[in-house]
Amino acid sequence: MMPLKKNPRQSLWIQPYKLICPSINQKLLMRERLFSLLDQSQANPLTCVYSPAGFGKSTLVVSWLRQRQLTYGWYSLDINDNDPNYFANHLIQALHQASNNGCPQSLALVQQQEYANLHSLLSKAMMEIALATRPFFMVLDDIQAITDPIIIQALRHWLKMLPVQIHVILCCQNEPPFALSSFRVKGQLIEIGSAQLAFNEAECGEFLKQNLDFDVPVNVVHELVEKTSGWPAAMQLISHNAHSTSDLIDASGRLGQGAFEVDSFILTEVVSPQPKKIQEFLLNICVFEQFNAALCNSLMQQSDSETYIYELEQRQLFIYRVQGQERWYRLQDIFRDCLIKKLQAGCKDRWNRLQENLIHTFLNGGFTIEAVQHCLHLKEEKYILMVLDTSGVELYQRGQFATLTKMFNYVSLDATKKNRKLSLLKAWVLLATYREDEVAKLLPDTDIDGEDDAELWAEHTVAQAQAANNVEEFELARSLAEQGMKYLKPDSFVSRTVTYSVLGQSALCRGELSNALSLLKEAEKLAFDHGLVQQRLWSMCLISDVYTAWGKIHMALEVQLNAIDMAHDNCIEDVPHMEFLYRNRTQLLLEQGDLAQADRLLLQSEQVIEPLGHYGLLNIHVQRGQIALWRGQHESARNLAFQVNYLLQNYEYHTDWLAHANEFLLACQSCGILEFEPKCIWRQKHLTCAPENHFYQHYQRTYAIRRYIAGDKPQAIAQLRQLVIAAERVGLTLQAFKNKLLLVLWLNDNEGLRIWAAEMPKFSELKPLQSIWLSTVFCTENLDRDWPDWNIWFSHRALDVGNATLQLDDILERLNSQHASAHDLVTPKEAQVLLLIGEGLNNDEIGTSMHIAVSTVKSHIRRLYRKLNITKRTQAIEISKHL
């Protein structure tokens, strides 16, 4: 808008509308909390009400002045008021009227143009008004329109010499053109900004009640306040012509019919009046959900973003500081959305460049997760490929498998195959999320062409080797891994670590336990040395498997506990490998009769496996079912058996999973609690192959149990004898023991007694409480025998693990509820250590009492202190006294 051209001789050119306050709506909302703030202005010379357009500044001031029946003058300013004479005419006229004709001499000077300057004129007016007896308010509306330095200087001096009779109220869209710091220092300034002017939830509800002819639910009111930040103009436009709640907020949760009008108001009344440099800055930073000056500088290749951010704050242009993050900011949602729409509609090329720059900005600044979130929001392949190419391996190493899976969902198979590194990354993700059947399609054989190609070929071969392990092709896995190892560079730490773990897993599954342990420890060392956290976790999982197969249960549990602590310290508790770890640990806890801790661990396992859907719940249902069956909770066990039976018929599972599921269903059948015939899965290939690993042993033993239940006792016993021979040949101590335990129960004769006598020393070491209980479920022979120490393990009391652990469970529950975090619970072993500390035992004595090494005792104590947030033994003793 151009200023009006006036005749300088026409000294008293008055525009009457400029001295009249704006009219207000009959349905005006009375906002008593803001009136109370304005009431304080009667004791202060200056009040400043500032915010962007649409916050109701003028309306608030007018309604307060009228409601409180106060005397006031009004002057609405615009660009034309930047002429000193024009300004003087209107201000003196407004002051004269408001003071009940209190400055006639000043008015005459204006009319005759007989004043030296604006400053002297205002000084004269103040001397006249100082004689008045009645106070009044002078409102200068839209003061930000003043840019003339002469007027600004005069106003600055005028405000400093205000007599007590005048209280000035400044209304503006940002801070006025002159500093107010001196008033702030003296405590003479009342400030009301957009944060105070915004509707709160109660005011929003009252506003809608006054302006709509239908009731608005509380949740809709809450959502409107959230989306608009209580901006009165937005509330007015959204509610205009609204006839139902869906007109306010549509089914998808977006603003309803008034959204277009809100956008139009923002662009014309808020954005357009801003300087061009501010507009451009806003159009650039609107791509950020949150930002700081460094990010803005990086995005726009400039160095003065902090100055722009400060100016946005001064203008209150819908910019908010992010709580808890120093010097981080965000734009109000509907304001930001409006700017984004303007960008997208204006120039698609600019929009695309901005998106690309934004992702580079995030990646260069180390904000990988923000880059991922943004490209997933855009759902465009080219942007996702940018992030995968730069940070895909980093995300994989941090265990972000679910995130990578989402990203690959937007990348075509052809685009993945064109980039060999990308196809390798996807293969790793598929293997980590139990989708090994997709790997073969993704990684076709490729010819070796040059050193770089050889490296990629080797990495692909290792991925295929892992897939071969997962589908139980162990010889193929070894062959592929050994081929790949030949071409891996010494500094290919990720691939070399994976290769060692693949070779170790293959050796474990072929019954080469010593070789497996050596390879897996090498994998763990490489992973530890190079910070490959999730690869180290997987190596530790497999190492615990080796110890379990050897029957070294305490060592397996110790490795598992260390792995859980490591995952906790590195925030990777939700990677799929944790399900494998929790599953195996739960099985060992069940074996030793620790049902309560196994129950708690199953909750964590379920959270990890949940993203895989129903498929991944098989083991959880099985282990919960075993606990329920052991506790005599037959209804719960029956329901879980039904779920297990359903999953077996609808999904393909690894033999290890099948072995546990089949065994559970047969146990339920033997207990006579099923109302249906279970459909166990028997694969001829795995029933006839050499049982050289723990899961083939388990699978074939379960088939022998099926034969025994069906009445074919001789064949069942013959099969168990063969399993014992195979297990002892390759060192599967625990599996050999479980096979012999069944033989002992099924052979109530001299052979059975001979086996019993030979195996008795292992009972105290292994504590196979679950195997004992489960074996009795599968036995129809007489359990009353006069064999040495038989009743210690097979009496009714010995089989009732619930009573044996009840007291410790009660103590553990009190300990965890009163002293530990819900996310870091004390284990039964740690509780046992605490109780022994309370009895005054030292570490050596605790180790002897619990049949564990002193180093293990110290590990338990370290974890116990961390979980209970204590540092001294005396504190531990004090806690134990109250248990």
Side-chain angles (χ1 to χ4, degrees):
M1 178 179 175
M2 295 296 294
L4 294 173
K5 293 181 179 179
K6 299 179 290 294
N7 183 350
R9 295 186 178 183
Q10 191 176 3
S11 61
L12 196 59
W13 186 10
I14 298 295
Q15 299 286 350
Y17 72 88
K18 298 181 73 64
L19 305 183
I20 300 173
C21 67
S23 60
I24 57 176
N25 194 316
Q26 293 300 315
K27 293 185 178 181
L28 183 68
L29 182 67
M30 293 294 106
R31 307 178 69 186
E32 192 57 42
R33 68 178 177 88
L34 294 181
F35 284 7
S36 297
L37 287 175
L38 284 171
D39 286 341
Q40 300 175 38
S41 64
Q42 298 184 65
N44 288 277
L46 185 61
T47 298
C48 188
V49 184
Y50 54 101
S51 70
F55 275 90
K57 302 179 291 294
S58 304
T59 302
L60 170 69
V61 173
V62 171
S63 58
W64 172 75
L65 290 168
R66 291 181 178 178
Q67 203 274 340
R68 297 295 196 253
Q69 298 182 351
L70 299 169
T71 303
Y72 65 93
W74 193 277
Y75 182 9
S76 296
L77 298 111
D78 56 40
I79 193 172
N80 294 294
D81 293 280
N82 280 293
D83 177 89
N85 290 329
Y86 186 79
F87 176 82
N89 289 344
H90 287 84
L91 181 59
I92 295 299
Q93 183 69 26
L95 288 169
H96 184 64
Q97 292 176 3
S99 60
N100 193 23
N101 301 324
C103 47
Q105 296 178 26
S106 301
L107 183 62
L109 292 174
V110 167
Q111 291 173 337
Q112 298 167 17
Q113 287 191 333
E114 293 181 353
Y115 57 93
N117 53 51
L118 187 56
H119 174 56
S120 63
L121 177 65
L122 289 175
S123 298
K124 175 65 175 175
M126 292 307 99
M127 287 188 287
E128 290 185 274
I129 290 174
L131 301 175
T133 57
R134 186 177 179 183
F136 66 93
F137 286 83
M138 185 65 233
V139 182
L140 301 182
D141 194 15
D142 284 333
I143 189 68
Q144 79 281 346
I146 299 300
T147 58
D148 182 80
I150 295 174
I151 300 176
I152 291 172
Q153 184 68 13
L155 283 173
R156 184 182 296 117
H157 287 290
W158 172 54
L159 291 174
K160 288 181 179 179
M161 61 182 181
L162 289 175
V164 295
Q165 287 86 347
I166 301 182
H167 305 279
V168 174
I169 298 178
L170 306 176
C171 295
C172 46
Q173 292 190 8
N174 43 270
E175 283 206 357
F178 37 81
L180 301 177
S181 53
S182 61
F183 289 94
R184 290 191 183 104
V185 170
K186 296 175 183 177
Q188 296 177 336
L189 174 66
I190 303 299
E191 294 181 270
I192 301 176
S194 56
Q196 291 82 25
L197 292 168
F199 284 159
N200 59 30
E201 204 160 313
E203 291 169 338
C204 179
E206 186 62 29
F207 172 82
L208 294 173
K209 185 177 180 180
Q210 285 185 12
N211 288 272
L212 299 175
D213 57 3
F214 59 90
D215 293 332
V216 181
V218 174
N219 66 305
V220 175
V221 173
H222 175 77
E223 197 164 351
L224 278 172
V225 173
E226 284 288 310
K227 291 186 178 301
T228 64
S229 298
W231 186 25
M235 295 299 305
Q236 179 69 47
L237 294 170
I238 293 166
S239 62
H240 183 62
N241 293 329
H243 301 292
S244 66
T245 55
S246 61
D247 291 339
L248 299 172
I249 295 180
D250 67 20
S252 64
R254 296 173 302 184
L255 295 180
Q257 293 181 351
F260 175 79
E261 292 184 75
V262 173
D263 289 345
S264 177
F265 185 88
I266 289 173
L267 293 176
T268 57
E269 301 296 329
V270 179
V271 177
S272 292
Q274 305 303 324
K276 287 296 181 183
K277 61 179 184 178
I278 293 293
Q279 293 186 40
E280 281 300 305
F281 187 74
L282 284 169
L283 287 172
N284 281 310
I285 67 167
C286 71
V287 295
F288 290 115
E289 287 191 12
Q290 296 181 5
F291 56 89
N292 60 14
L295 278 177
C296 296
N297 284 337
S298 177
L299 178 71
M300 292 174 280
Q301 297 297 299
Q302 61 186 43
S303 58
D304 55 353
S305 293
E306 193 159 357
T307 302
Y308 281 98
I309 291 172
Y310 174 77
E311 191 164 351
L312 291 181
E313 284 194 291
Q314 295 302 103
R315 294 172 178 270
Q316 298 196 46
L317 280 173
F318 298 94
I319 184 172
Y320 303 99
R321 297 203 174 203
V322 178
Q323 291 185 354
Q325 298 187 55
E326 189 176 358
R327 303 178 77 84
W328 278 81
Y329 306 86
R330 65 177 182 86
L331 295 177
Q332 199 274 339
D333 290 344
I334 57 174
F335 183 66
R336 176 174 176 250
D337 289 345
C338 177
L339 293 170
I340 289 174
K341 290 174 190 174
K342 178 177 172 62
L343 260 180
Q344 292 173 328
C347 178
K348 189 173 182 180
D349 288 341
R350 177 183 177 180
W351 170 254
N352 290 338
R353 285 196 305 273
L354 202 53
Q355 298 312 306
E356 191 169 330
N357 291 343
L358 176 62
I359 292 172
H360 282 305
T361 295
F362 281 140
L363 294 175
N364 293 337
F367 297 98
T368 304
I369 297 303
E370 287 76 6
V372 169
Q373 290 173 340
H374 188 68
C375 74
L376 284 175
H377 173 71
L378 295 174
K379 300 178 182 179
E380 290 191 34
E381 184 180 81
K382 62 180 180 179
Y383 300 127
I384 290 174
L385 286 172
M386 286 171 55
V387 178
L388 286 172
D389 188 59
T390 304
S391 302
V393 173
E394 175 196 344
L395 292 168
Y396 174 78
Q397 291 173 356
R398 288 162 58 180
Q400 298 287 334
F401 304 133
T403 298
L404 286 166
T405 299
K406 289 179 184 176
M407 295 173 74
F408 274 115
N409 287 340
Y410 295 106
V411 180
S412 69
L413 186 59
D414 287 341
T416 304
K417 286 184 175 181
K418 287 178 182 177
N419 186 326
R420 292 184 179 180
K421 289 185 178 180
L422 199 61
S423 64
L424 178 64
L425 175 63
K426 184 172 183 180
W428 286 346
V429 174
L430 291 172
L431 292 169
T433 53
Y434 304 120
R435 292 185 293 162
E436 57 277 344
D437 55 324
E438 298 179 39
V439 173
K441 301 174 185 177
L442 184 68
L443 300 173
D445 293 332
T446 56
D447 295 328
I448 300 177
D449 183 16
E451 188 176 340
D452 291 338
D453 264 7
E455 177 80 2
L456 285 171
W457 176 87
E459 291 175 328
H460 286 188
T461 302
V462 171
Q464 289 177 313
Q466 180 63 68
N469 262 339
N470 291 358
V471 296
E472 304 178 45
E473 296 287 349
F474 309 122
E475 286 293 346
L476 176 61
R478 175 172 62 178
S479 174
L480 289 171
E482 288 175 347
Q483 290 177 46
M485 183 68 88
K486 294 177 184 177
Y487 294 96
L488 289 176
K489 295 177 181 177
D491 59 351
S492 297
F493 303 120
V494 176
S495 293
R496 294 185 77 84
T497 303
V498 173
T499 305
Y500 277 116
S501 69
V502 168
L503 288 169
Q505 184 181 6
S506 172
L508 168 62
C509 295
R510 297 194 315 275
E512 301 171 7
L513 300 185
S514 296
N515 185 31
L517 187 62
S518 175
L519 290 164
L520 292 169
K521 284 190 172 181
E522 182 64 26
E524 187 200 359
K525 182 179 183 302
L526 268 174
F528 177 77
D529 290 344
H530 300 287
L532 308 176
V533 179
Q534 70 97 4
Q535 283 87 355
R536 185 183 176 210
L537 175 64
W538 179 237
S539 299
M540 295 174 79
C541 289
L542 294 173
I543 288 171
S544 74
D545 248 14
V546 175
Y547 286 133
T548 300
W550 265 334
K552 299 179 180 181
I553 305 301
H554 290 304
M555 294 181 71
L557 287 169
E558 184 69 17
V559 171
Q560 290 169 357
L561 200 54
N562 289 334
I564 290 172
D565 283 346
M566 188 268 291
H568 175 82
D569 292 342
N570 290 276
C571 302
I572 59 167
E573 295 105 317
D574 58 348
V575 301
H577 294 334
M578 291 300 291
E579 184 276 333
F580 182 92
L581 176 61
Y582 290 146
R583 183 203 326 160
N584 288 356
R585 185 170 180 79
T586 300
Q587 198 58 53
L588 294 182
L589 292 171
L590 288 176
E591 187 65 59
Q592 299 197 337
D594 193 348
L595 306 189
Q597 180 67 4
D599 248 341
R600 286 189 284 270
L601 208 56
L602 281 172
L603 290 173
Q604 295 174 269
S605 185
E606 187 172 18
Q607 291 174 354
V608 174
I609 204 69
E610 192 175 21
L612 291 181
H614 293 299
Y615 163 84
L617 294 176
L618 181 71
N619 288 308
I620 293 170
H621 288 337
V622 166
Q623 290 175 327
R624 282 198 175 125
Q626 289 174 332
I627 293 171
L629 198 60
W630 199 350
R631 286 173 169 166
Q633 300 166 346
H634 288 170
E635 182 64 29
S636 178
R638 183 185 301 111
N639 292 336
L640 288 164
F642 180 84
Q643 294 293 329
V644 169
N645 195 65
Y646 170 82
L647 292 174
L648 289 179
Q649 309 313 310
N650 286 275
Y651 299 100
E652 289 287 328
Y653 289 105
H654 189 277
T655 306
D656 188 25
W657 295 37
L658 292 178
H660 287 286
N662 289 346
E663 184 180 56
F664 168 59
L665 291 177
L666 290 176
C668 290
Q669 187 179 34
S670 295
C671 291
I673 68 170
L674 297 185
E675 299 169 350
F676 59 90
E677 183 70 23
K679 296 181 180 179
C680 299
I681 304 299
W682 305 111
R683 296 173 181 158
Q684 194 62 29
K685 173 184 176 182
H686 297 137
L687 288 175
T688 57
C689 67
E692 295 178 338
N693 58 51
H694 57 286
F695 49 88
Y696 285 169
Q697 281 272 327
H698 189 184
Y699 190 69
Q700 293 183 22
R701 179 173 64 251
T702 305
Y703 190 73
I705 291 170
R706 174 180 177 271
R707 283 177 163 175
Y708 178 88
I709 293 172
D712 192 357
K713 181 177 176 180
Q715 286 296 326
I717 291 173
Q719 187 172 4
L720 280 181
R721 287 172 177 152
Q722 292 300 314
L723 288 174
V724 169
I725 294 170
E728 290 183 333
R729 185 179 70 250
V730 296
L732 296 171
T733 306
L734 183 60
Q735 295 303 318
F737 177 83
K738 291 185 176 185
N739 296 332
K740 291 178 182 179
L741 187 57
L742 274 175
L743 281 174
V744 164
L745 288 165
W746 291 354
L747 294 171
N748 190 2
D749 54 19
N750 289 334
E751 183 185 356
L753 176 58
R754 187 171 63 254
I755 298 171
W756 169 253
E759 296 302 307
M760 255 198 306
K762 297 177 184 175
F763 274 74
S764 296
E765 179 185 350
L766 295 175
K767 264 185 73 179
L769 298 183
Q770 188 197 34
S771 291
I772 293 172
W773 162 77
L774 201 53
S775 297
T776 59
V777 170
F778 297 130
C779 180
T780 58
E781 304 297 321
N782 185 2
L783 291 181
D784 295 328
R785 305 179 192 181
D786 59 358
W787 296 354
D789 291 338
W790 178 265
N791 289 330
I792 293 176
W793 298 99
F794 287 96
S795 68
H796 175 75
R797 183 182 176 191
L799 294 174
D800 187 2
V801 70
N803 290 333
T805 60
L806 182 60
Q807 185 178 7
L808 182 59
D809 280 354
D810 288 343
I811 291 173
L812 190 62
E813 185 175 351
R814 291 198 300 274
L815 181 63
N816 280 318
S817 63
Q818 296 173 16
H819 300 283
S821 164
H823 303 292
D824 202 8
L825 298 174
V826 175
T827 68
K829 289 285 186 187
E830 292 161 353
Q832 193 175 349
V833 169
L834 178 65
L835 293 174
L836 293 174
I837 289 174
E839 292 177 12
L841 275 66
N842 60 33
N843 290 356
D844 289 332
E845 292 167 336
I846 292 172
T848 302
S849 174
M850 295 179 65
H851 306 290
I852 58 177
V854 175
S855 60
T856 304
V857 174
K858 291 178 180 178
S859 295
H860 284 317
I861 291 174
R862 283 197 301 271
R863 296 188 187 96
L864 186 65
Y865 282 12
R866 185 196 74 206
K867 293 177 181 181
L868 299 181
N869 195 25
I870 60 176
T871 57
K872 300 177 181 177
R873 208 174 188 91
T874 53
Q875 293 172 296
I877 292 171
E878 189 64 28
I879 290 174
S880 69
K881 286 179 182 178
H882 294 88
L883 295 176

